[in-house]
Amino acid sequence: MGRKTTKSGKIRLMEVAKLAGVSPITASRFFRNPEALSLAKRERVDSAVKELGYVPNLAARALASHRTEVIGVVIPSLTNNVFADVLRGIYDSSEGSRYSIQLANTRYSILQEEKLLRLFRAQKPAGLIVTGINQTADSRAILESMNCPVTQIMEIGDSPVDMMVGFSHYDAGFAAISHILAQGRRRIGFLGARMDPRVQRRFEGYREAMKAASLFDPNLIVTTTVPTTVTLGGTLFADLVARTPDIDAVFCVNDDLALGVLFECQRRQISVPRDLAIVGFNDLEFMASAVPSLTSVRTNRYEMGRHAVTMVIEAIEGRRPEVPVLDLGFQLMVRESSTALDT
């Protein structure tokens, strides 16, 4: 005969407490703040929870405490390798804490982002991590009304909602072009896909660096709003070559496009780097192992995720950072694909 439950069939917290030999208050504290219990009591309550199959009612706890023990994470993609690294940092940093991570995917839609932020606000999260700094006026208003710590990630700006961790995409784009120019290249193409706000800031860095060198030419720019792929990199490069066959370098807004350009060069027997320099962005693992190896802008994605969670948790516990904006910077990883013209 099974254990006695409520009429609804749900195990109650007091049953967990009874089986564990602790008070209901102690059993409740196990879910709110397990570090406050002795190791022996934690083990007894944990054993009772598993034996009874008890699932805490987070909604009821949120009503009682005005917040859940959930940290919401709003990102634009679950399949992009860039965000996979960010999520790895988030999960590694939250492991061992009492907070759980709840993911939401905007699919690069500002309307979907607004919808998800409203949903999170209703759920009363302990904290929130949001991608980017270009929220709509409505989304920004929602974030400012969340009554919990909020960290914006992947870039930095002058007006954080609360806290921010990332780097300047404009500066990174400018640095990449400055490096290419220093190698003696002058006809530097720009290939862009998706063209979300962060990509647009990379383009602004490209444009300003080229203007500063009096080399900016709109014919060197090929972009699309469709999602990026390696195949798309080859297609965009083919369009660029048809328009401006005298190009001697190309800056790609991500590494997938850069790899596609390399493959298209190999098909066309264009020598890299003798005839064409290639620079990508993000420095995914395959950039170093490509033949020739590909130069890229390394972004500290794992560290962004790790710092974002740490900032949120410390703010929840009353230890807010003295400086709310953390600039992790970037590194230009120079490899074979962007060597000087005379080498």
Side-chain angles (χ1 to χ4, degrees):
M1 185 174 179
R3 288 189 174 277
K4 186 177 180 180
T5 63
T6 62
K7 291 181 180 180
S8 65
K10 295 181 179 178
I11 301 294
R12 295 182 300 180
L13 183 62
M14 65 177 59
E15 296 174 66
V16 173
K18 183 177 180 180
L19 181 60
V22 299
S23 69
I25 292 177
T26 298
S28 177
R29 190 175 295 126
F30 171 81
F31 296 101
R32 296 196 317 272
N33 187 17
E35 294 83 4
L37 275 62
S38 67
L39 177 60
K41 287 183 178 179
R42 285 204 305 268
E43 290 178 345
R44 294 208 307 271
V45 175
D46 184 57
S47 177
V49 166
K50 292 176 180 177
E51 181 176 340
L52 295 173
Y54 175 74
V55 178
N57 188 334
L58 294 179
R61 288 169 59 197
L63 290 173
S65 66
H66 304 294
R67 68 172 49 170
T68 64
E69 289 176 353
V70 167
I71 295 175
V73 177
V74 182
I75 59 175
S77 174
L78 294 176
T79 58
N80 189 324
N81 286 332
V82 170
F83 294 103
D85 290 338
V86 175
L87 291 176
R88 186 165 56 87
I90 287 173
Y91 279 108
D92 284 355
S93 189
S94 62
E95 186 175 357
S97 74
R98 68 175 182 269
Y99 300 101
S100 58
I101 301 300
Q102 182 175 336
L103 293 179
N105 181 8
T106 69
R107 297 180 175 87
Y108 291 94
S109 166
I110 58 174
L111 295 180
Q112 180 70 2
E113 182 177 56
E114 286 183 15
K115 178 181 178 182
L116 292 169
L117 290 177
R118 293 182 195 279
L119 179 61
F120 270 123
R121 181 171 62 181
Q123 294 177 344
K124 300 180 179 179
L128 197 62
I129 297 171
V130 183
T131 302
I133 61 176
N134 283 86
Q135 284 78 28
T136 65
D138 285 347
S139 288
R140 172 116 188 169
I142 295 168
L143 289 172
E144 290 174 345
S145 68
M146 290 293 288
N147 195 31
C148 71
V150 175
T151 299
Q152 293 163 284
I153 62 171
M154 301 303 290
E155 54 185 326
I156 57 175
D158 297 329
S159 303
V161 170
D162 184 7
M163 300 173 291
M164 193 178 286
V165 56
F167 67 102
S168 169
H169 290 255
Y170 171 90
D171 288 349
F174 194 98
I177 302 309
S178 297
H179 161 70
I180 299 173
L181 289 169
Q183 310 314 305
R185 313 283 175 164
R186 291 297 177 263
R187 298 289 285 168
I188 305 171
F190 177 92
L191 298 186
R194 179 80 70 177
M195 300 309 293
D196 62 73
R198 288 169 295 284
V199 170
Q200 291 175 29
R201 276 185 269 281
R202 295 170 206 168
F203 169 70
E204 291 169 4
Y206 160 86
R207 181 182 59 197
E208 293 308 307
M210 292 293 283
K211 283 185 176 181
S214 300
L215 294 171
F216 180 73
D217 180 354
N219 290 322
L220 293 169
I221 302 164
V222 177
T223 65
T224 178
T225 57
V226 303
T228 187
T229 63
V230 173
T231 301
L232 180 63
T235 301
L236 295 181
F237 179 66
D239 292 344
L240 178 61
V241 171
R243 181 187 303 180
T244 54
D246 63 334
I247 60 169
D248 58 14
V250 62
F251 173 53
C252 303
V253 296
N254 60 48
D255 292 339
D256 289 346
L257 295 183
L259 188 62
V261 170
L262 177 62
F263 289 160
E264 185 65 18
C265 285
Q266 292 170 345
R267 282 191 287 270
R268 293 169 177 255
Q269 296 185 329
I270 297 173
S271 175
V272 177
R274 185 192 66 197
D275 301 327
L276 185 86
I278 302 174
V279 174
F281 201 98
N282 286 315
D283 198 36
L284 298 178
E285 182 181 8
F286 60 75
M287 298 296 277
S289 58
V291 179
S293 57
L294 291 165
T295 297
S296 187
V297 177
R298 175 172 293 176
T299 56
N300 301 302
R301 301 176 300 278
Y302 175 83
E303 288 76 11
M304 280 183 227
R306 186 171 61 83
H307 281 291
V309 170
T310 299
M311 293 167 76
V312 165
I313 291 178
E314 289 188 350
I316 292 170
E317 297 175 352
R319 303 189 305 275
R320 301 187 64 82
E322 293 183 8
V323 180
V325 178
L326 177 59
D327 185 355
L328 294 179
F330 57 88
Q331 296 83 41
L332 185 63
M333 307 304 294
V334 178
R335 301 191 179 96
E336 296 168 335
S337 69
S338 66
T339 55
L341 279 173
D342 58 355
T343 59

